[in-house]
Amino acid sequence: MRRLTGVVGAALGLALVLASCGDGKSSDSGSGGGAKSEVIAIAADPLEYINPLNENGSPGIQIAMAMFAPLVTTDPNTGKLQNVMADSVTPDKTSQTWTIKLKPGNTFQNGQAVTAKDYVDSWNMTAEGSNAWKNNGFFSKVDGYEALNPPTADGATPKPTAVKTLSGLKQVDNLTFTVKLKVPFSQFGLTLQYLGLAPLPEEVRKNPDAYKRKPIGNGPYKLAADWNAGDDIKLAKWDGYKASAAPEADSITYRFIPNADTAYNEFLAGNVDFTDVPSTKVKSFKTDAPDQWVTSVSSGANYLVFPAWDARYKNPKLRHAFSEAIDRKAFADLVGLSDPAKGLIAPDINGYRADACKYCDFDAGKAKADLQAAGGFSGVVNISYSTTSATGQIFAEAIGNMLRQNLGLQVKYTGKQGSEITELADSRKLDGLRFGGWGHDYPSIEDYLTPMFKSNGDANFAGYSNPALDAVLAKGDAEPDQDKAIKLYQQAEDIALEDMPLIPLYTKSNAYLHSAKIEPRVSKYVGVSALWATFK
């Protein structure tokens, strides 16, 4: 579920973190026929705004899951794609032009009917580079994208252009629109479950800034009270939602608790019904809360990211040396519930290879030889870590000690808010290494490659670019046979691993605590979700 740049040890995956005040025995616990009320604790800094088209971070997308409805989704029971707002999604025989027909009768929470025009206009706004919305890169495959995104200096915002619409987006009728891609893309139907494609109603599109803190969605929940940045986000079930079945909760409050250990302690004190287990507690949660936990393999992958804009890290052989100097088994044991990563893809994704990376085995001797062959390293290696993570500094120092001991490097550490690390990296001003995490928006190997490694990928943490990789990705996109497409995507992964703009570190299982009040939904296809929990 998108990126957590600068953060290590935070939950990454498809699960929502739900909590409930009280001991689960009050009249609103769901067991006595009363209202089912929940509080959602998210271990992150509070949001500044709510706009799914301008959000690709895990906390914001968790809110979007409740307030907005996707076109399609993955069935938690079968793993197959099922329609939500869409009535049908149909490719032509080349998978280059796709026709999307909406279900009739759906509305926004202001009463306006949801139409094809809402999708076309909302997507055009996001694709316009001068708006600098975070999901802009998603539309890079659509015809006409370049006209809205002229060449721009690295890290700068494109200037406004005369062209305001994607030539590949066409409204056919009130409920139908077509998407023509620049090249065939067999995975496009899967991408439509991403909530960063949610429509905005006309009144929001006219003045998005005016609705940053009073969003109007099309999902099962709406704002229940005024919301200011930094406040809890209080939602109430919206009776007008008809697209699909809604969750059981009648009201939900999202509470942002930057320190995950604090949320964990709130659970142990009886004040929280559901919370994720922080890295500091992975060895104790089963005894701290016996019979009140669930675990699930995460679709997230975690990395150490190089700054492509710093010439000192330019030589791939130097990056190989850094990778070989890291004892992944020891680091994964430190993180807990984790396994060493030897590739760029999460283990539960079709196309995953356990030993894709030939530079991910710990070998101090080879690391030293590769560093020497690269001409050594000049200066001090800086590792940035998030101060909102209880384990951020611990993990940074663990990596730093390995680089110091195994390569003889000088290392320093810089703690900053995760959002500040991201902002500095996005503007190409961050010094040194940082941690990054990624979870897919749709279950495809392609979604671990295009966003992070394509030259204009919308989550290209490292500022990496290789035309050869771009070309192989394009071949995979155009291949309608899924098995053949996966082989091509694996070739792209091999190129990225050879260049190594970031170092695979570990994959992690997620653990959650829940009270007797609720039973979280657990799915091998979409992970653990307390948003969709059943009340007892």
Side-chain angles (χ1 to χ4, degrees):
M1 181 200 292
R2 308 308 271 180
R3 67 178 176 179
L4 288 180
T5 308
V7 178
V8 172
L12 182 66
L14 297 178
L16 286 180
V17 183
L18 295 189
S20 175
C21 291
D23 59 5
K25 299 177 181 178
S26 61
S27 61
D28 67 349
S29 68
S31 59
K36 301 171 182 177
S37 178
E38 299 178 315
V39 174
I40 302 172
I42 299 178
D45 295 327
L47 295 179
E48 291 294 321
Y49 57 85
I50 300 173
N51 177 355
L53 293 164
N54 189 22
E55 182 58 75
N56 61 10
S58 179
I61 292 177
Q62 290 189 42
I63 306 300
M65 283 182 172
M67 299 192 70
F68 295 85
L71 285 163
V72 298
T73 193
T74 295
D75 188 310
N77 298 313
T78 67
K80 295 181 179 179
L81 211 59
Q82 63 181 21
N83 293 327
V84 182
M85 295 297 291
D87 190 49
S88 63
V89 177
T90 309
D92 66 3
K93 63 181 181 180
T94 67
S95 295
Q96 185 165 358
T97 298
W98 295 69
T99 300
I100 300 170
K101 184 177 288 292
L102 303 176
K103 293 177 180 177
N106 288 308
T107 67
F108 289 101
Q109 291 158 358
N110 63 355
Q112 175 201 321
V114 177
T115 68
K117 178 176 170 56
D118 295 309
Y119 280 93
V120 170
D121 289 355
S122 297
W123 290 10
N124 279 326
M125 287 186 70
T126 312
E128 189 172 350
S130 59
N131 288 330
W133 282 9
K134 293 178 181 176
N135 287 315
N136 168 280
F138 181 91
F139 300 96
S140 63
K141 289 185 171 71
V142 180
D143 253 0
Y145 176 83
E146 284 74 16
L148 279 71
N149 295 270
T152 305
D154 196 20
T157 299
K159 294 181 179 179
T161 60
V163 178
K164 302 295 182 183
T165 60
L166 291 162
S167 59
L169 277 184
K170 301 293 183 184
Q171 181 179 351
V172 177
D173 57 39
N174 201 41
L175 292 175
T176 310
F177 65 103
T178 60
V179 186
K180 183 181 179 183
L181 307 176
K182 290 183 290 187
V183 295
F185 182 35
S186 60
Q187 311 292 302
F188 185 72
L190 286 173
T191 73
L192 298 178
Q193 59 193 296
Y194 179 40
L195 279 161
L197 304 179
L200 302 178
E202 184 177 10
E203 68 175 279
V204 175
R205 298 196 304 269
K206 287 180 178 178
N207 188 2
D209 285 344
Y211 288 87
K212 288 195 303 184
R213 299 190 181 100
K214 50 179 181 179
I216 299 172
N218 66 328
Y221 294 92
K222 64 179 181 178
L223 279 181
D226 291 341
W227 174 65
N228 297 309
D231 290 350
D232 293 347
I233 298 175
K234 299 180 179 181
L235 304 180
K237 183 174 283 188
W238 176 50
D239 292 336
Y241 181 68
K242 302 175 182 177
S244 61
E248 285 192 17
D250 297 307
S251 63
I252 302 174
T253 298
Y254 288 85
R255 181 169 299 158
F256 292 84
I257 304 176
N259 189 318
D261 286 295
T262 301
Y264 183 88
N265 290 333
E266 284 291 288
F267 177 89
L268 297 182
N271 299 323
V272 167
D273 269 327
F274 190 97
T275 187
D276 57 327
V277 175
S279 296
T280 54
K281 305 297 182 182
V282 295
K283 293 179 173 60
S284 64
F285 72 91
K286 293 182 181 180
T287 53
D288 288 345
D291 302 321
Q292 293 183 295
W293 54 268
V294 295
T295 60
S296 175
V297 175
S298 170
S299 292
N302 298 272
Y303 317 97
L304 189 66
V305 186
F306 289 105
W309 51 91
D310 189 333
R312 296 179 302 164
Y313 298 94
K314 186 176 182 180
N315 193 324
K317 193 166 285 292
L318 178 140
R319 300 195 289 268
H320 299 165
F322 276 48
S323 178
E324 292 160 340
I326 295 173
D327 185 341
R328 285 168 177 76
K329 177 64 169 61
F331 190 74
D333 288 344
L334 176 66
V335 173
L337 285 178
S338 300
D339 293 305
K342 294 188 178 181
L344 302 172
I345 313 302
D348 61 337
I349 296 297
N350 194 10
Y352 165 78
R353 295 169 294 165
D355 293 302
C357 178
K358 59 184 178 182
Y359 306 109
C360 293
D361 289 320
F362 174 49
D363 189 332
K366 190 171 185 300
K368 290 176 183 177
D370 281 344
L371 181 63
Q372 184 176 6
F377 182 82
S378 174
V380 178
V381 177
N382 183 54
I383 303 178
S384 293
Y385 64 90
S386 172
T387 54
T388 56
S389 169
T391 53
Q393 183 174 354
I394 295 171
F395 294 163
E397 290 179 351
I399 293 293
N401 285 335
M402 293 178 190
L403 297 178
R404 180 175 52 80
Q405 293 168 7
N406 299 323
L407 292 176
L409 299 175
Q410 297 181 61
V411 182
K412 68 176 182 179
Y413 311 96
T414 302
K416 296 180 181 293
Q417 295 253 340
S419 57
E420 185 179 357
I421 294 173
T422 298
E423 183 178 348
L424 288 169
D426 287 348
S427 61
R428 308 300 186 248
K429 295 177 182 177
L430 186 71
D431 172 31
L433 311 179
R434 70 196 188 282
F435 294 102
W438 183 258
H440 66 250
D441 304 313
Y442 46 93
S444 168
I445 183 176
E446 180 272 336
D447 194 42
Y448 286 83
L449 298 169
T450 298
M452 288 191 293
F453 301 103
K454 189 176 179 181
S455 294
N456 63 349
D458 67 344
N460 191 326
F461 304 149
Y464 166 73
S465 178
N466 185 333
L469 183 144
D470 294 346
V472 176
L473 279 178
K475 290 180 181 178
D477 293 347
E479 176 53 64
D481 184 290
Q482 292 300 302
D483 291 336
K484 292 180 180 178
I486 286 173
K487 292 293 185 185
L488 288 164
Y489 290 133
Q490 288 173 336
Q491 290 179 29
E493 182 187 11
D494 289 340
I495 294 172
L497 286 168
E498 186 67 31
D499 289 345
M500 198 160 275
L502 50 76
I503 296 174
L505 288 178
Y506 64 94
T507 58
K508 187 176 186 297
S509 291
N510 291 328
Y512 309 89
L513 303 184
H514 67 91
S515 73
K517 173 181 174 179
I518 60 172
E519 188 66 39
R521 185 182 72 188
V522 180
S523 165
K524 68 177 182 179
Y525 302 108
V526 295
V528 176
S529 174
L531 173 64
W532 291 93
T534 55
F535 283 71
K536 297 180 180 179

